[in-house]
Amino acid sequence: MSPEQHQAIPSPNIWGDPDAYEIENLAVDPDGAIWAAMRAVRDWRGTRVLDIGCGTGFHLPYLASTAAHVIGVEPHLPLYEVATERISGLDHAEVRHGLAQRLPVGDHSVDVVHNRWAYFFGPGCEPGLRELERVMAPGGVAFLIDNDATRSTFGRWFRDAWPDVDAFAVQRFWDRNGFTTVPVMMRWSFESRADLERVVRIEFKPEQSDRILAEHDGLEVDYAVAVRWRRY
């Protein structure tokens, strides 16, 4: 096992069932609300983009469609290999095996960071924040996207599943570290009930999943996120 693999913080959802997580990625934010919130701060057209915790590389082709160069960083070797295969036909995109707290890129070499539901969850991610200080170019912007547990249907599910997570304390952490938070309401939208049920079951424990699926009808879920950003 590589040092990166050993030190990585496991992500049970995508590590445990990457195929189900692919279904989730396809269902997330069909209206592009997260991308729009990011562009309102800094467009990545023609820039050097770093996707930290890129997983299977789902977002890399989209970022590479306008960026000058895109690097995905992923610590989990099976996901790294899938991401590498996903972008194999793109000459200005690459994937590197590494950690958020020890990024395999040069000093001040990144214009835009994209990080979605990976590592940067609040207190404890200070080593990764120090790495952002090192790798961001002057004027660059780092975007850290996470759940907003204070509102929405998904937020309520999250609060019930992890009652010890203090969303307001997490927000104070990001405020202290100089990040601006943009509240965004997006949605999950699935093609089938089976897809929704499969994704719910990788995100929540069995008893919680049973309760969620018993109370929630249909193929859509309103879902609040926090788009956090900082200019360097």
Side-chain angles (χ1 to χ4, degrees):
M1 181 179 292
S2 69
E4 287 78 9
Q5 184 83 349
H6 180 71
Q7 297 175 34
I9 300 170
S11 298
N13 47 16
I14 190 171
W15 287 29
D17 194 340
D19 291 338
Y21 201 82
E22 185 80 3
I23 295 170
E24 181 171 0
N25 272 327
L26 289 167
V28 166
D29 194 18
D31 310 303
I34 293 173
W35 297 124
M38 292 172 58
R39 282 197 179 90
V41 177
R42 171 71 186 271
D43 199 321
W44 51 94
R45 182 179 300 274
T47 68
R48 300 164 295 178
V49 176
L50 180 65
D51 188 357
I52 301 173
C54 69
T56 61
F58 182 86
H59 300 293
L60 297 180
Y62 182 80
L63 292 165
S65 66
T66 57
H69 189 75
V70 175
I71 298 171
V73 172
E74 173 54 45
H76 190 49
L77 275 172
L79 302 182
Y80 161 84
E81 291 167 357
V82 174
T84 300
E85 177 63 25
R86 191 190 291 269
I87 54 90
S88 61
L90 300 175
D91 59 8
H92 60 296
E94 60 179 298
V95 184
R96 299 179 184 177
H97 187 223
L99 297 162
Q101 59 269 42
R102 192 167 61 249
L103 292 167
V105 300
D107 295 353
H108 311 303
S109 62
V110 176
D111 301 307
V112 174
V113 158
H114 171 260
N115 171 271
R116 196 177 292 213
W117 294 301
Y119 181 77
F120 291 98
F121 299 122
C125 74
E126 290 86 353
L129 292 178
R130 289 193 291 271
E131 274 292 84
L132 291 183
E133 294 275 3
R134 180 182 69 82
V135 306
M136 296 302 299
V141 175
F143 293 98
L144 311 178
I145 294 117
D146 194 12
N147 298 322
D148 178 353
T150 67
R151 60 201 181 101
S152 79
T153 297
F154 188 91
R156 176 170 55 82
W157 295 347
F158 186 96
R159 290 195 307 274
D160 291 345
W162 291 279
D164 294 335
V165 176
D166 184 340
F168 297 101
V170 170
Q171 184 59 52
R172 289 193 295 271
F173 172 86
W174 292 112
D175 292 343
R176 289 195 304 271
N177 281 279
F179 280 80
T180 298
T181 299
V182 179
V184 173
M185 184 65 75
M186 57 97 173
R187 59 191 173 108
W188 270 351
S189 182
F190 293 92
E191 292 187 356
S192 70
R193 182 70 181 183
D195 284 349
L196 183 149
E197 292 182 0
R198 186 175 178 185
V199 168
V200 166
R201 292 194 184 281
I202 67 166
E203 293 293 354
F204 300 95
K205 294 178 180 178
E207 63 273 17
Q208 294 159 341
S209 298
D210 290 343
R211 185 169 61 253
I212 287 167
L213 294 170
E215 73 174 27
H216 189 84
D217 295 325
L219 305 180
E220 297 203 351
V221 180
D222 58 291
Y223 191 142
V225 297
V227 176
R228 299 188 171 100
W229 64 272
R230 179 183 167 187
R231 197 178 307 275
Y232 288 78

